[in-house]
Amino acid sequence: VTNILIRPYKVDAMNVPPEFFDEIDDVRKKVEVISEQIDVETYAELYKTLTLFIDPIDGTKEFASGLGEECTILVGVVKTGAPVGGLIYRPVPASPSWALGCKAEEYTAGILDTNNSIKTASNVVKGSVKKGFVTTNGSISTFTDKLIEKLGMYRVCAGGVGNKVMNLLEGKGECYIQDRGVSRWDTAGPQAVLEAYGGHLSKLVSVVAEGRLDSYMYRKVAKNEPNCDTENVNMLDGRFAPVFTRQNLKNVCSNHHLYIC
């Protein structure tokens, strides 16, 4: 239970430090002003179809290990299972970078680190003929490792889903495969932003088996059904790795805007 209405403020059993009280009051007042401007009755049915996902620290491991530049704050708006609006914000650098997008309204805005002045990833090679393949900072699957080699690309390591998507938008990488489970609070905002900028977040199966970039949809899955299609692909490295040739990827990947989960 969260209490931000009456001081002292609490989040479950934890007390919010008093130095944050004024900031909480300020934000709450601003939200109340906005709410007064919205006709609830007119938009009541629309609200029922919307879900808001907020990730206050995307890239927790990086945050705890001194790689704050790779952490982001994420906000995603999902309508009937489809991400429709999002915000990615990097708060730690001296000059914060961010990206905002809503494909349906053809709207994008932001400040991107296109000059590579912030260390948001490692192994980024400026002016390289080879293209960067963004991966997690940790270990990667055999499938992903073989795919990078087969495509003649080089590995770019980065933490956090939001930060990885920002790296794609900034041209530091051409594509990224999430070879582990997907969490809605991690991908909702970044997916909406990426697709507003003209990119794609798709399931690997739709790309490999059908050659299509179907936008990822959030849906309930059956018991024991993998949350991410690459969990199936990883068990079949030999079968699926040859399917990806550089030309195949080129056909579905353009302008650093491909994120596959």
Side-chain angles (χ1 to χ4, degrees):
V1 178
T2 299
N3 167 41
I4 57 171
L5 297 177
I6 303 174
R7 296 188 181 192
Y9 301 133
K10 299 184 68 174
V11 177
D12 290 331
M14 298 184 294
N15 294 315
V16 176
E19 57 263 34
F20 294 111
F21 286 0
D22 289 341
E23 291 185 42
I24 292 174
D25 291 340
D26 182 55
V27 171
R28 190 183 67 249
K29 290 176 182 177
K30 290 178 179 178
V31 171
E32 290 173 350
V33 170
I34 294 174
S35 66
E36 291 173 358
Q37 299 173 2
I38 299 175
D39 186 342
V40 178
E41 293 184 3
T42 301
Y43 296 101
E45 291 303 315
L46 175 61
Y47 293 155
K48 293 178 181 179
T49 67
L50 298 178
T51 304
L52 187 66
F53 291 98
I54 300 176
D55 190 345
I57 305 179
D58 175 48
T60 309
K61 181 180 179 181
E62 284 69 28
F63 183 80
S65 57
L67 298 175
E69 294 83 358
E70 298 184 22
C71 301
T72 58
I73 297 171
L74 307 177
V75 179
V77 180
V78 174
K79 181 181 180 182
T80 56
V84 293
L87 168 68
I88 306 173
Y89 180 72
R90 285 194 192 112
V92 174
S95 300
S97 51
W98 56 278
L100 177 71
C102 177
K103 183 178 180 179
E105 297 183 6
E106 299 181 347
Y107 179 80
T108 58
I111 299 176
L112 301 175
D113 179 41
T114 54
N115 295 323
N116 197 23
S117 60
I118 306 171
K119 186 174 173 54
T120 60
S122 58
N123 305 331
V124 177
V125 182
K126 288 186 177 181
S128 173
V129 176
K130 290 185 176 182
K131 299 295 184 180
F133 192 114
V134 180
T135 74
T136 179
N137 282 320
S139 60
I140 59 176
S141 66
T142 302
F143 168 76
T144 302
D145 188 46
K146 288 181 179 179
L147 180 58
I148 295 173
E149 180 182 358
K150 189 170 185 63
L151 293 175
M153 303 173 78
Y154 70 94
R155 182 181 176 185
V156 175
C157 300
V161 174
N163 179 56
K164 291 184 180 75
V165 169
M166 288 283 281
N167 275 282
L168 297 184
L169 299 180
E170 293 163 342
K172 300 171 185 176
E174 185 169 351
C175 62
Y176 168 63
I177 286 184
Q178 171 121 349
D179 54 357
R180 60 196 65 198
V182 177
S183 298
R184 297 181 183 185
W185 53 86
D186 284 335
T187 58
Q191 178 178 354
V193 171
L194 183 67
E195 296 186 348
Y197 273 82
H200 301 276
L201 191 150
S202 303
K203 286 229 175 191
L204 185 59
V205 164
S206 70
V207 178
V208 174
E210 303 172 19
R212 299 200 317 264
L213 288 174
D214 294 332
S215 181
Y216 181 74
M217 295 285 289
Y218 298 97
R219 59 182 177 81
K220 292 183 178 180
V221 297
K223 186 177 181 180
N224 298 325
E225 181 181 355
N227 187 33
C228 180
D229 283 310
T230 46
E231 293 180 13
N232 287 330
V233 176
N234 288 342
M235 294 182 282
L236 301 167
D237 288 341
R239 175 181 171 187
F240 278 91
V243 175
F244 268 110
T245 65
R246 183 154 187 78
Q247 187 59 42
N248 284 346
L249 186 60
K250 184 178 180 181
N251 290 338
V252 296
C253 176
S254 62
N255 300 324
H256 315 286
H257 288 158
L258 179 62
Y259 182 118
I260 305 174
C261 64

